[in-house]
């Protein structure tokens, strides 16, 4: 820790560049996250507020809530970004070191380390996700919507900090992040090692970016049922005062029974559009900064 602090003091541009990269990514991709959440919480064609498609969703939000509607709930991800990324990559490295002493194959160890880092990350981000989803689900004008901190206070005052309040949907968040990181890290590093590296820096960059893009896309496709369950549990319930979506697998089963299998994949397109390239950028930043640290330490 002391060495890292000394390094960051001597090279503040590295930390600043990482932070700025993530901030720009959040600002650019957040509208897709809002759209994804809106699709996940709507209850099929019978829902009077149902969007007809991706284009209709964008047009309706812009028409009724202005351009600022696409940035509802952006503060929680920004506040959670530093601890979230620190936990994700730090715990991944620690789990990877511990698993190197086991009989697991290197490829499987990377996936298990990713699973562990995702589960740990979920514990940190879940309260932020509860507030974010509630803000994103609100279709009022941006000007009359409660602030992030007012929304958080309202949740705590109504239901407390526990699994019915600021930490509701924790099991779904654990599943979402655990499954995502397991595939994300496992697929990326295993495939990257299997495909020969290029001596051309530009081709090497494109090779890593393509693998990272594919890794983020596949991870998003596999973990989205957990994401849908999380949004249903953390968002507004269909009937005020009545809890319909209670737990992760109960919610998945209910959505499947009432709306069909495809309902568990609602919001997949905007999710892929956000996490495919976003995941590639994140892994590239991690790889190049880690490589630089190893060479200069």
């Amino acid at each position: 820790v002391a060495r890292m602090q000394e390094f960051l003091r001597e090279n503040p541009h590295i930390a600043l560049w990482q932070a700025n990269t993530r901030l720009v990514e959040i600002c650019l991709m957040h509208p897709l996250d809002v759209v994804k959440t809106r699709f996940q919480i709507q209850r099929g064609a019978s829902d009077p507020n149902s969007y007809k498609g991706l284009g209709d969703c964008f047009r309706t939000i812009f028409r009724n809530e202005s351009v600022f509607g696409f940035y509802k709930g952006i503060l929680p991800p920004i506040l959670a970004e530093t601890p979230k990324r620190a936990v994700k990559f730090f715990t991944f490295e620690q789990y990877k070191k511990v698993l190197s002493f086991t009989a697991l194959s290197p490829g499987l160890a990377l996936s298990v380390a990713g699973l562990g880092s995702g589960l740990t990350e979920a514990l940190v981000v879940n309260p932020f996700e509860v507030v974010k989803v509630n803000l994103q689900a609100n279709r009022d004008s941006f000007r009359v919507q409660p602030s992030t901190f007012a929304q958080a206070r309202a949740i705590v005052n109504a239901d407390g900090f526990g699994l019915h309040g600021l930490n509701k949907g924790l099991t779904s968040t654990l599943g979402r992040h655990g499954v995502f990181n397991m595939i994300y890290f496992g697929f990326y590093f295993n495939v990257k090692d299997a495909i020969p590296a290029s001596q051309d820096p530009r081709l090497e960059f494109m090779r890593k970016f393509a693998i990272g893009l594919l890794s983020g896309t596949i991870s998003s496709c596999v973990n989205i049922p957990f994401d849908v369950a999380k949004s249903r549990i953390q968002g507004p319930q269909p009937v005020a005062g009545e809890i319909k979506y209670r737990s992760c697998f109960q919610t998945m089963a209910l959505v499947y029974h009432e709306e069909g299998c495809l309902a568990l994949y609602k919001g997949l397109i905007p999710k892929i559009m956000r996490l495919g390239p976003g995941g590639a950028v994140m892994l590239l930043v991690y790889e190049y900064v880690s490589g630089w640290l190893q060479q200069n330490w």
Side-chain angles (χ1 to χ4, degrees):
V1 173
R3 292 179 66 191
M4 176 62 78
Q5 290 174 337
E6 181 182 355
F7 167 77
L8 292 177
R9 282 196 299 270
E10 295 175 356
N11 302 273
H13 60 285
I14 296 292
L16 184 62
W17 179 67
Q18 283 185 288
N20 287 340
T21 300
R22 291 298 303 146
L23 180 60
V24 170
E25 182 190 339
I26 291 172
C27 292
L28 289 176
M29 300 297 187
H30 192 74
L32 292 170
D33 195 46
V34 173
V35 171
K36 181 209 72 169
T37 300
R38 293 288 178 90
F39 273 114
Q40 290 178 341
I41 61 177
Q42 69 180 24
R43 302 177 303 282
S46 60
D47 189 335
N49 296 314
S50 179
Y51 298 109
K52 297 180 178 64
L54 196 61
D56 178 57
C57 184
F58 274 103
R59 286 191 299 270
T60 304
I61 292 174
F62 181 76
R63 183 174 60 249
N64 297 339
E65 303 167 50
S66 81
V67 69
F68 296 108
F70 293 110
Y71 291 92
K72 288 182 173 181
I74 194 172
L75 187 56
I78 290 175
L79 294 175
E81 189 54 39
T82 298
K84 174 183 176 180
R85 297 306 172 198
V87 167
K88 177 194 282 284
F89 290 109
F90 176 76
T91 56
F92 174 69
E93 290 295 333
Q94 301 314 304
Y95 289 132
K96 191 167 67 171
K97 288 178 183 177
V98 171
L99 290 167
S100 67
F101 297 104
T102 68
L104 293 176
S105 65
L108 182 58
L110 287 167
S111 295
V112 175
L115 173 63
S117 72
L119 295 176
T120 311
E121 177 190 27
L123 297 173
V124 175
V125 304
N126 193 64
F128 296 93
E129 286 290 318
V130 172
V131 177
K132 184 195 76 169
V133 169
N134 274 268
L135 291 170
Q136 290 178 337
N138 189 319
R139 299 196 183 197
D140 294 334
S141 169
F142 189 84
R143 288 175 294 180
V144 301
Q145 186 182 31
S147 69
T148 296
F149 298 104
Q151 185 69 57
R153 281 196 302 271
I155 294 170
V156 171
N157 290 339
D159 300 302
F161 292 92
L163 297 178
H164 297 292
L166 203 58
N167 266 296
K168 63 182 173 182
L170 178 59
T171 304
S172 300
T173 306
L174 288 167
R176 185 181 78 154
H177 287 262
V179 170
F180 184 91
N181 284 1
M182 178 178 68
I183 299 171
Y184 183 62
F185 285 114
F187 182 90
Y188 178 78
F189 287 108
N190 281 292
V191 172
K192 183 174 71 71
D193 292 342
I195 299 177
S198 173
Q199 298 302 314
D200 185 330
R202 288 175 297 181
L203 292 177
E204 178 61 8
F205 177 87
M206 291 305 298
R207 180 183 77 98
K208 289 181 177 179
F209 184 85
I211 298 171
L213 178 66
L214 190 58
S215 178
T217 300
I218 293 173
S219 302
S220 298
C221 292
V222 175
N223 87 327
I224 194 167
F226 289 98
D227 203 1
V228 171
K230 184 188 80 69
S231 295
R232 294 291 179 100
I233 295 168
Q234 294 178 342
Q237 297 289 321
V239 179
E242 178 183 321
I243 300 178
K244 180 177 182 179
Y245 305 112
R246 297 179 179 276
S247 62
C248 178
F249 294 106
Q250 175 263 348
T251 299
M252 286 186 189
L254 194 57
V255 170
Y256 174 80
H257 176 73
E258 293 184 347
E259 303 169 41
C261 180
L262 291 180
L264 292 170
Y265 293 86
K266 285 183 175 180
L268 179 60
I269 293 177
K271 182 180 175 74
I272 289 174
M273 291 170 66
R274 181 173 68 94
L275 291 178
V281 169
M282 184 170 61
L283 278 171
L284 285 170
V285 170
Y286 167 71
E287 275 239 75
Y288 283 110
V289 172
S290 296
W292 192 93
L293 290 172
Q294 291 173 4
Q295 289 178 2
N296 290 273
W297 273 20

